[in-house]
Structure formats: structure tokens, C-alpha cells
Amino acid sequence: MADRYSHTRRRFITGAGATGIAALAGCSGDSGDGSTDGTTDGSNSGGGTTVGNTKSSGEMADKIVFYNAGSLKYDPGTKKNIQRFEDETGIKVEVNEVPWNNLKTSLTTIWRNKGSKVDAFNGPTWWLADFVRSGWLEPLGLGDSHMKKFPDNLSTLVAFDGKTYMAPEFGKWGTYLYDQQYLSENGFDSPPDTWDDVLQMGKKLSGEDKSGFAFTWGNKDVFSFKQFLYQAGGQMFNDSYEPKFVEGGTKALNFFRDLQSAGVLPNGVSSLGEGGVGDAFVAGQYATVESWTPLAARVLDADGWSKDRLASAKPPKGPGGSRATFQDTNGIAVSAFSKRKNAAKKFAKFMTTQKSSKTNMLVEGNPAVVPEVYEDSELQSKYPSWLLEDMKFNLEHATSETYLAQPQVDDYLSEQITPALLGNKKPEAALTKARDNIKRLYQDIGVL
């Protein structure tokens, strides 16, 4: 069965705008194409591009070239699943370990020259819109039997015009952790449940050597902004790609300014992407923290911590009634210019099965993107049940949007967030400026 997952906004206009997106996605250059010939996709290609010399559509190549974001030394879950794929299929995976900061530029350079040296890659969903609109990705042809195991909020994130272009591999999203022992010592039997609780309880939990609340998204301030935007009931764009984040974003930034004024946040926080939050929480400097899911495993292994001290909770509810966390998921995609599409699609499917999702979480601690994995006995024996319960909730309620010219849009947002938090601009004025800049960008590239 062909892909059926779609989203209203995921219908791209055609015309000159696509050229603008391709130009914004990265730099041009020589592809250095050195691929041997292989196969193109057969009848299940979903309308993808056929490039280069081809053999029978039913023939399967005996190797693929896979671009991994960084060294497999630091990506043991992916490494383990690649080994499983090779053992079970006999298809060799030639891995090109590309530094994360260079990966998008490398892929863009190859594809702007229609190079076929890369068959598949893993990367974030927020690259997807530009790549699809530029015609650089192949629909994966994954049907209901594969995609229905993912939550709908994730399945729709990787689909355009009813076709799936990326298979979810593993996730990173916020988890709300707290020092249960410290809260109890200060008279609290439960963690904050709403934004107002974070503020009011945070005042009592903060002191000279302790902050009531902190947050991190690995120095990605826009990620943090979007999470709290969604909790405030807002969104980045409407179905016509018109920016709609000012009202909800103003609530989010005002919330952070209130936390600053009340002394709840760590001293010196001037953006939504401060580094070192995880280390500081392990060191006992924060009462509660919103951080990447793998932090919990680190804390449990640290001296002075135990299952009786560390606890997790669902994210505090925002004024929009939402407990959303930001959905930062990595997936496997296949190049539209690959000469080995059948083998590459087989790889994408294998790497995103329930078993592969479980393996990735067991080996590396990356949150599984398949809800059923959290019920597995091996996972239940490795992680506390309360943590697994909240991780599964966060997966099913995570929110994200893929949108065109993502790097430029995020830059316009980022340059306004910090002055608003420093008090140099009113939040509404700062976000209005960002909105106007983004509208002009979208008009220039033909989106609006």
C-alpha cells in the first residue's frame, strides 16, 4: 500500500520558488561523484526521480553509501543496527562519517550537481521541507504496516503530499526532571504542574546555590522557544505558510522574563540555549530542569543520585493547555539521485523497525520513536517505569513543524529572542520584527 500520511500544509507550490529554496539550502560545488552503478526504484518508488544507468527495477544492489551525522564511535545505536542490517540482508553499508556541522552542506553540494555518491543519510526532520521541495529526496514507499507504529504527530511530520520521505530513527525531546528529595525537604509533595506552578514554586525552591528551574536544547534557542510556544497554544505557521507565532511566542517570552525577574532561572541566562544545564543538574544546582531525555540515564549513574531522589514528570501545562515538548527526531532518507534506491529503501525501512528502535534505545539511550518499545521487558528492566511512562507520553505529545528555508527562518527568530530576554526589546515588538523579516523572506523565494 502506498504512503497515505499527509498534512494540509505539506503541499508545496511549484514554480520559481523551488529554485530559491535550493539556493538557500546550501552552497554549490563539484559533487565528486564516484558511485558505481546500481538500481533505481521499481513500481513502489512513489514517483521519485530516476537518475543514471539502471538495471532491472527488481534488482537489489549489494551495497549502499550511507552518510552518518558524525562518527559512529559516538553513535553506537546506529552502528549496531547497521551491523544487524548487513548480517541479515548481505548488503554492505559503506559509511561516510560526516561532521554534523558539515552534513547539510555536503549533501546540498552533491545534490545541486545531481550527484549519486550518497544513497541514504540520517538527519533531522527540520531539513526535510527544503530537501523535498528541491526534488532531492525519494519517496520511501512505506505503507501502513510500517508507518502506523509511529504516533500520528510523527508520521505526519515526515510526509508531504501523501508520500513519506523520511523514516523516523530515534528521537530527542524534552523531559521534565526534578530533585524529588529537595522538593520534599522544602514542603512539596509533587512537582510543578503548570507554568504558574513553575514560577510560584520556583521562588521558594531558588536560593544562593540553587535555581528553581533551568532548560536546555543544546544551544538551540529556537528549539526552546518553539516548545514553549506550543505549550502556550501557538504555532509557527498556518496552513498557508503565514507566520503565526507572535501571540503565543509573546506569552512564552513573557513567561521566561517573569522567571528571570523572580530569580528562578540561573544567573546570567540571556538566551534559551545555555549550555551546561545537564552537568549543573547532576551537580545539584537545579531543583527542576527541562532537558534532553538522555539526561535521566546520566543522572542515575552519577554519585549522590538514586531512583529515590531523581524523578520525572509530564511537562508543566502552558496557558494553551498543552504539555507539548519539542519534537527533534532524526530519520533515514534516500537520495533522489541514488542509483541503488531499492537497497537504500530497504535500509531505511530496516533501521526504523520496532526492533531497531528498541536496539537503539538499549545500546545508546536514544528515545524510541515507537510507543510499544516502552512496554518491552528489557527496557522495563533497564529504566525506571516512571521514566519510561513519561518518555512515552512525551513522544506521543511532542510537537514540531517542518518549514521552508528553516536556517534563515530560525536565524530571524534567534536574533530577536536574546534582546527580548535581556530587556532591550519588548517581546511582542521583537517577535513582530522577526515575523516581518520572515514574511519578506518567503515573499522573495515565492512561498507567499
Side-chain angles (χ1 to χ4, degrees):
M1 184 179 296
D3 298 323
R4 65 175 177 84
Y5 296 93
S6 63
H7 191 277
T8 303
R9 191 188 311 138
R10 301 179 189 286
R11 297 187 181 278
F12 291 147
I13 60 173
T14 59
T19 303
I21 292 298
L24 288 169
C27 303
S28 62
D30 184 8
S31 69
D33 191 316
S35 291
T36 59
D37 67 4
T39 63
T40 59
D41 204 45
S43 60
N44 291 329
S45 69
T49 306
T50 300
V51 178
N53 297 325
T54 64
K55 299 180 180 179
S56 168
S57 62
E59 187 174 343
M60 187 72 66
D62 59 4
K63 85 161 191 175
I64 63 168
V65 176
F66 172 65
Y67 274 38
N68 188 68
S71 171
L72 289 180
K73 177 181 178 181
Y74 305 107
D75 205 357
T78 297
K79 182 178 181 180
K80 178 66 174 178
N81 282 329
I82 289 175
Q83 291 172 342
R84 291 179 51 243
F85 175 77
E86 292 180 327
D87 292 343
E88 294 186 26
T89 67
I91 299 172
K92 172 69 177 176
V93 181
E94 182 180 311
V95 181
N96 190 340
E97 298 171 313
V98 185
W100 169 254
N101 290 336
N102 298 338
L103 180 58
K104 187 176 185 182
T105 300
S106 297
L107 293 171
T108 300
T109 300
I110 293 167
W111 292 335
R112 288 190 67 180
N113 290 278
K114 299 185 178 180
S116 59
K117 65 185 296 184
V118 55
D119 298 304
F121 75 96
N122 65 0
T125 57
W126 27 279
W127 291 354
L128 199 56
D130 288 348
F131 285 178
V132 172
R133 191 175 186 194
S134 297
W136 294 340
L137 297 186
E138 177 78 5
L140 296 177
L142 300 172
D144 290 355
S145 61
H146 190 81
M147 294 303 297
K148 69 181 180 182
K149 66 179 179 292
F150 304 112
D152 288 345
N153 57 321
L154 184 51
S155 296
T156 57
L157 189 65
V158 296
F160 293 85
D161 292 333
K163 301 171 187 174
T164 298
Y165 286 88
M166 180 174 278
E169 184 184 12
F170 60 83
K172 294 178 182 177
W173 45 83
T175 292
Y176 194 82
L177 303 176
Y178 64 100
D179 187 335
Q180 186 169 235
Q181 177 179 305
Y182 181 72
L183 262 66
S184 180
E185 290 171 354
N186 284 271
F188 296 107
D189 296 328
S190 59
D193 186 61
T194 65
W195 280 14
D196 187 60
D197 290 341
V198 173
L199 178 61
Q200 300 307 322
M201 292 174 62
K203 294 176 183 178
K204 299 179 181 179
L205 293 170
S206 301
E208 291 184 1
D209 59 349
K210 201 92 165 182
S211 296
F213 176 63
F215 46 84
T216 181
W217 264 106
N219 294 323
K220 296 178 177 131
D221 54 355
V222 176
F223 284 12
S224 291
F225 168 78
K226 285 192 281 190
Q227 173 165 315
F228 290 92
L229 166 70
Y230 299 140
Q231 290 180 3
Q235 63 185 108
M236 286 289 295
F237 298 94
N238 65 14
D239 289 349
S240 300
Y241 278 103
E242 296 171 327
K244 292 294 181 181
F245 53 77
V246 173
E247 182 179 354
T250 298
K251 294 178 182 178
L253 293 184
N254 280 333
F255 173 55
F256 281 104
R257 290 183 65 167
D258 290 342
L259 293 173
Q260 287 175 316
S261 299
V264 176
L265 296 180
N267 290 331
V269 171
S270 59
S271 77
L272 300 185
E274 296 296 320
V277 169
D279 292 336
F281 183 71
V282 172
Q285 297 176 19
Y286 304 143
T288 69
V289 63
E290 183 83 38
S291 189
W292 283 5
T293 303
L295 177 62
R298 287 182 52 206
V299 176
L300 289 173
D301 289 337
D303 293 338
W305 287 87
S306 67
K307 294 179 181 178
D308 294 329
R309 181 180 176 188
L310 177 68
S312 74
K314 295 176 176 60
K317 186 186 301 183
S322 170
R323 299 185 187 275
T325 58
F326 177 70
Q327 174 73 273
D328 182 23
T329 296
N330 270 32
I332 308 288
V334 172
S335 168
F337 305 106
S338 169
K339 297 178 181 178
R340 299 176 279 228
K341 291 191 180 79
N342 280 343
K345 289 182 180 183
K346 188 177 186 73
F347 175 75
K349 185 174 183 178
F350 181 94
M351 294 291 285
T352 58
T353 62
Q354 182 169 326
K355 184 174 182 180
S356 293
S357 185
K358 170 187 169 181
T359 299
N360 206 314
M361 188 168 177
L362 282 173
V363 172
E364 191 171 347
N366 284 320
V369 289
V370 179
E372 285 73 14
V373 169
Y374 295 94
E375 310 299 329
D376 186 89
S377 58
E378 287 188 79
L379 269 297
Q380 291 282 344
S381 64
K382 183 170 183 177
Y383 296 101
S385 59
W386 46 264
L387 178 60
L388 291 175
E389 179 183 345
D390 290 336
M391 290 170 72
K392 180 180 178 182
F393 176 90
N394 290 336
L395 162 65
E396 295 176 331
H397 293 81
T399 302
S400 190
E401 298 171 63
T402 53
Y403 44 85
L404 297 164
Q406 174 266 332
Q408 292 74 27
V409 169
D410 286 5
D411 282 347
Y412 281 133
L413 273 173
S414 183
E415 69 184 14
Q416 299 298 327
I417 288 173
T418 296
L421 291 178
L422 288 173
N424 297 330
K425 281 188 176 182
K426 293 183 178 180
E428 184 175 5
L431 294 176
T432 298
K433 177 67 172 179
R435 179 201 64 193
D436 293 344
N437 287 336
I438 293 167
K439 286 179 68 175
R440 280 193 293 270
L441 170 68
Y442 273 16
Q443 288 167 352
D444 289 344
I445 62 178
V447 178
L448 294 177

